[in-house]
Amino acid sequence: MRGIAGIGRVVSRFMKQFIREERANTAMIFAMTFVGLVSAAGAGIDLSRAIVAKSRLASALDSAALAVGASNGLTNQQMTDLANQYFNANYPTGALGTHNPVVVTPHGQSISLSVTGDIPTTLLQILQINKFDLAVSNEVVRSVTKLRVALVLDNTGSMTQTDATGTSKITALKTASHQLLTQLQNAAVNPGDVQVAIVPFAKDVNVGAASVNATWLRWTEWDSSIDPGTNQASLNGSWSTNTFCTGSSCTCTAYPTLVDTLGNNTRTCSCSGSGSSKTCKTKTWVHNAHSTWVGCVMDRDQNKDTQNDTPTLVDTTTLFPAEQYNYGSTSTNYCNTLTSLMSLSYDWSALNAKIDAMQAGGGTNQTIGLAWGWQALSQGSPLMAPPIDPTIQNVIVLLSDGLNTQDRWPANGNGVNPAPAVDARMTLACANAKAANVMIYTVLVMSGNSAVLQSCASDQTKYFELTTAGEIVTAFNQIGTELANLHLSR
């Protein structure tokens, strides 16, 4: 069977013979009519081939556009090379004609691509129409133009543990966080389109000692002689050293045992003896100066501990109680090692430095970490996120290596054993944040299963259960890829 080109050559020879024919006018008339008929038929065939070629050209350019849009941080030349690589893999040459290299033009938040080519004709060459020129273009637009991400990262003592490869969880977390920051930085077309907050947490969150005079802090618990986390004597002060009693043969019973009441800041002894000048003395609690605070805050009063209400002096339950976090019954101040949080920023050097500064120590309170991650995305004090914008996607990425063990309330754990009461607070906080359209990713490292973290994630695809420390890098890479989402527009 002859091909289209072969048929064209036969018709061409036939027409030339008719044109040279001089024996009758009817031959010339027939030839002229035949040319029109063949030209019409050729136009239909060649036009159909051109339509197919242009469709394949557009499809190949779409593939190139998606590849370019998904690869952030490239130079214009790198985008051009990548586009041509994908285009050539999807557009066969030869039967569909030839094409020029793909042209890539970035502008603003979008990237334009165009390509030109041609396809040779067959029957239409009789009329000296040798080819059809083709041209297609498209544009890839990044769909997430403004992204606000709070990285809520476990800095508890168990993060020093290592997996079978000898990699510690805190080390793997730092590596993964650096890579995630790079992905997010590259996803930003304009400065500030993507911003990140970092919230390290243990039993408390450190908001930074520079906030000592902030109006959203509450000092009631700090000033008390009772540590609200243990119901024991506070480590944030000392009792005045008064003589128990005076007088001959005078004795004094012990000062009364501390009771679970904030503000129990005076203690009076009971004197006995025969001395005529017997006098009873009172000791007064002297709290440490607020200037000695290094930045830790505990959970807010319930139910403000699970919400993102803006703190106000009119309602003291909305304020954040200051404390020095003393783990267990020791006098060690874990706030000295707990890295302070960083509010939303696109200073990528500073964000990476904050990750490097993280240290592990203390018990686990995922609730306060989530609460401050949500605060980092919320308008108003204390962290002053940007105004609400319908183009902003708010995201919390929470990583923890274990179960909740302790929060502000003495009945809710001792920092060592799992504390279901803390899980209950966490469940409420997660539900409230999701109801406010915050997208939540949760990552559990080397701890089997956590029902509360699994249910906290926005959906099951956003919950990661890892068996090794090294898998943190893989999980964060997947999260970063999803957050750099895009769509193709014509």
Side-chain angles (χ1 to χ4, degrees):
M1 183 175 181
R2 295 179 183 271
I4 293 176
I7 294 174
R9 287 192 293 272
V10 171
V11 173
S12 177
R13 287 196 300 270
F14 179 78
M15 293 303 299
K16 289 177 181 178
Q17 291 174 357
F18 264 95
I19 291 171
R20 289 194 297 267
E21 180 61 51
E22 298 178 354
R23 289 176 294 178
N25 289 336
T26 55
M28 182 64 69
I29 294 171
F30 177 78
M32 296 298 292
T33 303
F34 189 74
V35 168
L37 294 173
V38 171
S39 298
I45 294 172
D46 287 336
L47 184 59
S48 295
R49 293 177 64 245
I51 291 173
V52 171
K54 187 169 184 177
S55 176
R56 293 292 297 272
L57 203 71
S59 178
L61 194 65
D62 283 353
S63 298
L66 287 171
V68 169
S71 302
N72 297 303
L74 302 182
T75 65
N76 191 30
Q77 184 59 53
Q78 290 172 327
M79 287 190 289
T80 300
D81 292 343
L82 183 63
N84 281 283
Q85 176 186 340
Y86 274 79
F87 181 89
N88 292 333
N90 287 280
Y91 186 77
T93 56
L96 292 178
T98 61
H99 65 84
N100 297 311
V102 175
V103 176
V104 177
T105 307
H107 46 85
Q109 296 176 197
S110 61
I111 304 170
S112 297
L113 292 88
S114 62
V115 65
T116 59
D118 59 64
I119 183 170
T121 59
T122 55
L123 297 181
L124 285 181
Q125 292 186 13
I126 296 172
L127 302 179
Q128 296 185 349
I129 300 174
N130 298 320
K131 65 179 181 177
F132 282 138
D133 293 326
L134 306 173
V136 294
S137 62
N138 62 20
E139 185 178 51
V140 63
V141 180
R142 302 178 193 275
S143 59
V144 178
T145 58
K146 294 182 181 178
L147 197 62
R148 306 290 183 260
V149 182
L151 301 183
V152 179
L153 306 177
D154 192 327
N155 276 211
T156 59
S158 55
M159 288 292 289
T160 59
Q161 296 171 353
T162 59
D163 61 16
T165 68
T167 303
S168 72
K169 288 178 278 189
I170 191 69
T171 298
L173 175 59
K174 290 181 179 182
T175 300
S177 298
H178 286 312
Q179 293 186 9
L180 178 57
L181 288 175
T182 297
Q183 286 180 289
L184 295 174
Q185 179 181 5
N186 290 338
V189 177
N190 300 310
D193 280 354
V194 178
Q195 298 189 35
V196 179
I198 297 175
V199 183
F201 72 91
K203 180 254 181 183
D204 283 359
V205 164
N206 191 326
V207 298
S211 300
V212 64
N213 294 317
T215 58
W216 44 264
L217 286 175
R218 190 173 75 197
W219 295 95
T220 307
E221 290 76 11
W222 173 282
D223 294 343
S224 172
S225 59
I226 304 290
D227 183 342
T230 62
N231 282 351
Q232 303 299 316
S234 173
L235 297 174
N236 293 332
S238 59
W239 291 100
S240 61
T241 55
N242 293 329
T243 304
F244 283 7
C245 58
T246 59
S248 60
S249 302
C250 180
T251 60
C252 182
T253 61
Y255 281 93
T257 303
L258 290 172
V259 293
D260 185 16
T261 303
L262 295 180
N264 180 28
N265 292 334
T266 61
R267 301 169 69 191
T268 303
C269 67
S270 299
C271 295
S272 62
S274 58
S276 59
S277 61
K278 180 177 64 177
T279 302
C280 197
K281 295 291 185 180
T282 299
K283 281 191 174 183
T284 302
W285 177 256
V286 180
H287 63 74
N288 292 341
H290 295 173
S291 60
T292 64
W293 176 67
V294 296
C296 271
V297 293
M298 64 178 84
D299 304 88
R300 290 200 285 187
D301 292 354
Q302 297 181 2
N303 284 317
K304 301 302 182 185
D305 62 319
T306 63
Q307 299 169 348
N308 73 328
D309 297 51
T310 300
T312 171
L313 294 174
V314 176
D315 181 0
T316 59
T317 67
T318 64
L319 302 180
F320 295 91
E323 76 160 343
Q324 307 286 46
Y325 171 33
N326 304 296
Y327 182 48
S329 60
T330 71
S331 60
T332 302
N333 180 7
Y334 278 86
C335 293
N336 285 323
T337 59
L338 181 60
T339 302
S340 61
L341 61 76
M342 183 173 178
S343 59
L344 286 172
S345 174
Y346 53 99
D347 183 339
W348 303 102
S349 296
L351 288 164
N352 279 285
K354 181 64 66 174
I355 293 296
D356 286 332
M358 294 192 307
Q359 302 181 62
T364 304
N365 181 7
Q366 296 161 0
T367 310
I368 197 169
L370 182 74
W372 275 94
W374 191 8
Q375 285 290 333
L377 305 174
S378 303
Q379 290 70 51
S381 64
L383 300 182
M384 309 300 292
I388 296 174
D389 184 327
T391 67
I392 291 176
Q393 175 64 66
N394 285 325
V395 181
I396 291 175
V397 179
L398 188 153
L399 178 140
S400 183
D401 74 329
L403 306 179
N404 284 308
T405 61
Q406 187 180 24
D407 62 11
R408 161 187 169 182
W409 295 276
N412 292 5
N414 57 6
V416 178
N417 301 315
V422 185
D423 283 352
R425 308 311 303 165
M426 178 69 169
T427 298
L428 287 173
C430 291
N432 291 337
K434 288 187 288 187
N437 296 319
V438 177
M439 181 186 297
I440 301 179
Y441 290 83
T442 57
V443 183
L444 179 68
V445 186
M446 295 171 59
S447 294
N449 178 271
S450 172
V452 69
L453 285 181
Q454 189 168 4
S455 64
C456 185
S458 291
D459 59 60
Q460 291 306 298
T461 66
K462 293 176 176 56
Y463 171 66
F464 297 80
E465 200 169 283
L466 314 181
T467 58
T468 68
E471 289 176 349
I472 300 175
V473 177
T474 303
F476 271 31
N477 181 70
Q478 181 175 336
I479 293 170
T481 300
E482 290 181 11
L483 294 180
N485 190 22
L486 53 89
H487 72 273
L488 184 68
S489 68
R490 293 277 194 269

